[in-house]
Amino acid sequence: MENQDLAQYLPIALMFLFAMGFIVVTMIATHALGPKRNSKVKLDTFECGIEAKGNARVPFNIKYFLVAILFVLFDVEVIFMYPWAVNFQELGMPGFIEMITFIALLLVGFFYLIKKGALKWED
């Protein structure tokens, strides 16, 4: 019985081995067969068509990080609403009340951020 359980995973294991083999063969083939023309221009840093100037480790305002974290936080919270919307009728009134509570907590957090001035760009 245990061999049958493990045999169910054989197609997945074969697909994984085939994919890894393809990746390894492709990487080796491109490095072995590809052209090797290194020059100063080719090895220079390139970003969006603009030449690099100065140090990349220049500090910048922490508000950028804060806004990015807040965006991710609220974006992830919205993702939780999709399964709820799909199962809206099956969840009934208790599911609706739970989602209203969830949205209310999101709004409390959002208004707290506004009150603390986390979204203001000027100091």
Side-chain angles (χ1 to χ4, degrees):
M1 179 116 169
E2 289 180 18
N3 288 338
Q4 285 182 338
D5 291 339
L6 291 176
Q8 293 176 354
Y9 294 104
L10 184 62
I12 296 171
L14 288 174
M15 188 171 178
F16 178 76
L17 288 173
F18 179 76
M20 291 306 292
F22 178 76
I23 291 169
V24 169
V25 168
T26 304
M27 293 292 285
I28 291 171
T30 55
H31 285 289
L33 302 175
K36 295 163 188 64
R37 295 183 210 117
N38 294 333
S39 66
K40 182 177 179 351
V41 173
K42 186 174 180 181
L43 296 176
D44 197 19
T45 306
F46 184 77
E47 180 71 29
C48 301
I50 302 170
E51 291 188 28
K53 295 178 185 170
N55 187 2
R57 306 278 185 237
V58 176
F60 55 92
N61 196 342
I62 193 71
K63 296 253 184 196
Y64 291 109
F65 289 115
L66 182 61
V67 169
I69 289 170
L70 293 175
F71 173 75
V72 170
L73 175 71
F74 285 108
D75 198 38
V76 167
E77 302 301 335
V78 169
I79 291 171
F80 286 117
M81 293 180 189
Y82 285 108
W84 171 77
V86 169
N87 297 316
F88 178 72
Q89 288 190 324
E90 289 122 23
L91 295 173
M93 187 55 77
F96 180 71
I97 292 170
E98 289 173 0
M99 186 51 68
I100 293 298
T101 305
F102 179 74
I103 292 171
L105 287 173
L106 279 179
L107 287 174
V108 166
F110 183 65
F111 289 126
Y112 174 78
L113 291 172
I114 290 173
K115 183 175 176 161
K116 286 293 185 179
L119 301 176
K120 289 183 182 175
W121 288 102
E122 299 87 26
D123 289 328

